[in-house]
Amino acid sequence: MNSSSNKVISLLKDFFYALISNGLTFVISAVMALLLPKFLSVEDFGFYQLYIFYMTYASIFAFGWPDGIYLRIGGKSIDNIDNRTYGTQFYLFTIFEVFVYIILVVFAGLLESDLNKLIVLKLCCISGFIFCVRLFLNYILQGTGNIKKYSFVIIIEKLIFIVLSILLILFKFCTYYYILFADIIAKIISLVIAITYCKKFALVIPKSWKSIKKEIFENIFSGSQLTIATFASILIVGVAKFAVQNRWSITVFSKVSFAFSISNMLMQFVGAVSIALFPALRRIEKKQLSNIYSTFRSILMIAVLGMLNFYWIGAIILCRWLPEYIDSLRYAIILIPICVYESKMSMVVNTYYKTLRLEQWLMKINFLSMCLSLIMTVISAYYFNSIILAVVSIFLALAIRCIIGEIVLSRKIDIYVIKHIILELVVCCSFILGNWFFGVKGEIIYFAMYVMYILLTKDEAKKCISFIASKVMR
């Protein structure tokens, strides 16, 4: 067996391991997404979702430092990195984050007058600090291909959170701030585990500032473009969610956020596989990347588009379990197809941009999409006063971002994707329009469109199946 085959088989093993381990994370997240709105009031669930919303910005306050390390060590073995260099950076980064989040707590107290929102903001600052410190360690585990250890850290956090949350529900301590404390405790324990995994450099005698400052600035410079790209990416959805939170009540925000959580469950399951892809792709020659891209892209799209066939089964169950959130299912019809574009962007497109070191292009595409989202959100929320149009603007902005990103990437690695892009857009629109106007009958329309998609891409599907079979059986 040649080295090329070994690399592909190794990549497939990481792919399936990440799929299984993140499948467990998906199940835990799904349970929490269904349990919390059942036992929290709509208002309390809204404050919990506000906490989740604010926490999406936590990584921004790392200012690209861990991201730069992630990009620069991607593909290396953890045994081949300088322990004292990264250990010193870990200490300095932790001290830096202490000052950053103290400043954020002070500003939160000065700017927010609503007591509940202030509590949420201050708890976010505590949680954000823990998250950023753990992010530093997790990025080293990811970049060096320690996917099992990284996954275990995340799974432990989710397991502890769900156990504590269930205990709070059983003992009738079911308010949003107790749930947020449970999340913080879970993050602290997972941070301790991450430190034990990285003790080779997390527990060393630090170097002097002079000997390390050049390395630090290089990492921050390298990661800053990726951080700006990530920030712009978050704001694509963030500006719309902020408008909903600002323009409508916390109850409406709660219902829209619940629709997002349904879509996010699917994206978490599929998109997390990119964790395994990045370090593996960094070890593969550039000429092989186009073949691997086509393979994983086809597998992903067939799987994700297939998941949408089960929408109404889930919707009927949710209607009976959470009757207060029936309105959320209307928003979900528009938001669930986002997982088609976001999973592809996260798992395939973003991973390739990082592998090929195209962070500048990623930043430009995300910034353009953010501006588009901002314009559409302002018009829909503040001019038309329509929450439905605000939700539609999110889908359009994310779809356009993924389409532009994939077209740019296709030119870089010399592949043809226009046919697939058009087909996927037609299938997604058939899901939204069919279910919106025809209800359950729209599922028949979507299933017919999905079958048409499979037939029109059957050659690629056959190649995927034969490719995987040949590598697994070999």
Side-chain angles (χ1 to χ4, degrees), residues 148-333:
K148 291 181 181 179
K149 290 180 179 179
Y150 165 81
S151 297
F152 184 73
V153 170
I154 301 302
I155 289 169
I156 283 295
E157 179 199 342
K158 300 294 184 184
L159 282 173
I160 293 170
F161 178 55
I162 192 172
V163 169
L164 291 176
S165 297
I166 290 172
L167 288 174
L168 289 171
I169 290 169
L170 291 175
F171 288 99
K172 309 294 184 183
F173 291 101
C174 205
T175 54
Y176 77 88
Y177 40 85
Y178 286 121
I179 298 295
L180 301 193
F181 277 120
D183 183 65
I184 291 170
I185 292 169
K187 280 183 168 60
I188 291 171
I189 295 171
S190 68
L191 172 60
V192 172
I193 293 171
I195 290 172
T196 60
Y197 280 149
C198 301
K199 61 185 177 182
K200 284 185 178 180
F201 65 84
L203 303 172
V204 296
I205 299 172
K207 290 183 175 181
S208 66
W209 163 253
K210 288 184 180 179
S211 64
I212 203 74
K213 64 180 180 179
K214 183 181 178 182
E215 174 80 13
I216 290 172
F217 289 134
E218 285 178 356
N219 286 329
I220 292 173
F221 177 77
S222 180
S224 60
Q225 293 180 47
L226 183 58
T227 299
I228 293 169
T230 302
F231 184 50
S233 174
I234 293 170
L235 283 176
I236 294 171
V237 174
V239 291
K241 291 184 87 171
F242 177 80
V244 172
Q245 184 255 153
N246 179 257
R247 188 71 170 165
W248 290 277
S249 68
I250 193 69
T251 301
V252 174
F253 178 79
S254 177
K255 292 179 179 180
V256 173
S257 295
F258 180 70
F260 263 108
S261 67
I262 297 170
S263 180
N264 285 337
M265 283 190 292
L266 296 173
M267 287 189 286
Q268 185 177 25
F269 180 56
V270 181
V273 181
S274 62
I275 294 164
L277 281 178
F278 174 67
L281 290 175
R282 285 294 294 268
R283 300 185 184 110
I284 291 175
E285 295 176 11
K286 190 173 180 179
K287 62 184 180 181
Q288 294 179 283
L289 291 176
S290 59
N291 290 332
I292 293 174
Y293 180 88
S294 298
T295 301
F296 279 101
R297 187 196 187 286
S298 298
I299 294 169
L300 180 65
M301 287 297 95
I302 291 170
V304 177
L305 290 171
M307 287 181 186
L308 300 190
N309 284 297
F310 301 98
Y311 168 75
W312 277 106
I313 296 174
I316 292 168
I317 294 170
L318 284 174
C319 279
R320 299 194 175 187
W321 177 250
L322 299 168
E324 304 94 337
Y325 290 86
I326 289 176
D327 291 344
S328 298
L329 299 177
R330 294 288 283 173
Y331 307 136
I333 290 172

Side-chain angles (χ1 to χ4, degrees), residues 38 65 70 73-74 168 196 199 234 242-243 253 288 319 321 391 414 445 453 458 466:
K38 180 69 174 178
W65 195 338
Y70 176 62
I73 69 170
L168 289 171
T196 60
K199 61 185 177 182
I234 293 170
F242 177 80
F253 178 79
Q288 294 179 283
C319 279
W321 177 250
V391 173
D414 194 26
I445 297 171
Y453 174 80
K458 63 180 183 296
S466 61

